[in-house]
Amino acid sequence: MANKPEEFPLFTKLDNSAITGLLGKFNQYLAGFSSSTGIAGIATFENTLLEIFERIEKRRVYFHIFYDGCKMGELNEGALMCFWIVKLCPFVCSGIPSDVLNAKIALFLFNSVLSFIAKKSNKKVLITSQIIKDLYYSFRFRDISKESIMLLAESLVQ
């Protein structure tokens, strides 16, 4: 078992098939967002989105190393995606401030992931309109951590 930094292998870039799969999955969320909000013409800074994917994969490794082989899980992965969307703003659209657009996309993704996990595990999403308003405000104006978004996501699916 490794316990010295030099004993761990270096993290390598994601391969093309992994990137293609992640982009395809995310484009489905983005299409759903556009469809439900009517916001069209969203452009993506692909390099920023690839950076987000890589950071999530690095966090997956972190979970494995520091939580004795524990898997991160889809709920935490979705929460991390929301965090990085808000932090790095990979999406732009003419006429919409970048922070507003990215906060809305992150909130849509957050709700979608909660619903998916709840349906998959036969649970309920306990989210109110006030929580949605507060989360949107937090995504735009507050300093909200990765861990707090993950904890919130876990607490809303019961």
Side-chain angles (χ1 to χ4, degrees):
M1 208 164 201
N3 63 4
K4 296 177 186 161
E6 60 274 4
E7 293 176 351
F8 287 94
L10 295 177
F11 187 86
T12 58
K13 298 276 185 193
L14 298 172
D15 63 32
N16 287 339
S17 64
I19 290 171
T20 301
L22 291 168
L23 284 172
K25 188 176 177 182
F26 195 82
N27 284 332
Q28 289 177 342
Y29 279 112
L30 205 51
F33 172 79
S34 291
S35 176
S36 72
T37 63
I39 298 174
I42 298 171
T44 304
F45 293 116
E46 192 169 299
N47 285 342
T48 306
L49 196 54
L50 295 177
E51 172 77 14
I52 290 171
F53 295 155
E54 186 173 302
R55 287 179 177 274
I56 291 170
E57 289 304 311
K58 286 179 179 179
R59 188 63 174 214
R60 188 182 318 281
V61 172
Y62 170 89
F63 264 69
H64 177 76
I65 293 169
F66 292 103
Y67 293 100
D68 296 325
C70 179
K71 295 193 184 301
M72 185 167 60
E74 293 168 309
L75 198 56
N76 285 335
E77 182 179 332
L80 277 174
M81 179 66 78
C82 294
F83 173 82
W84 288 116
I85 288 171
V86 170
K87 186 81 167 172
L88 300 179
C89 294
F91 305 105
V92 291
C93 187
S94 179
I96 302 173
S98 181
D99 65 319
V100 170
L101 176 64
N102 284 278
K104 287 182 178 185
I105 290 171
L107 188 59
F108 179 83
L109 177 65
F110 188 81
N111 282 325
S112 297
V113 169
L114 291 181
S115 297
F116 173 78
I117 296 299
K119 185 177 180 180
K120 184 177 171 180
S121 59
N122 202 24
K123 296 181 179 181
K124 292 184 180 181
V125 177
L126 305 174
I127 195 164
T128 65
S129 60
Q130 188 60 49
I131 291 172
I132 292 171
K133 288 177 188 175
D134 291 343
L135 188 57
Y136 175 71
Y137 183 86
S138 294
F139 280 170
R140 290 206 48 219
F141 301 112
R142 291 188 176 134
D143 185 19
I144 187 167
S145 70
K146 297 178 279 298
E147 293 79 10
S148 60
I149 298 171
M150 287 189 276
L151 180 62
L152 180 61
E154 289 174 12
S155 67
L156 292 175
V157 177
Q158 297 185 5

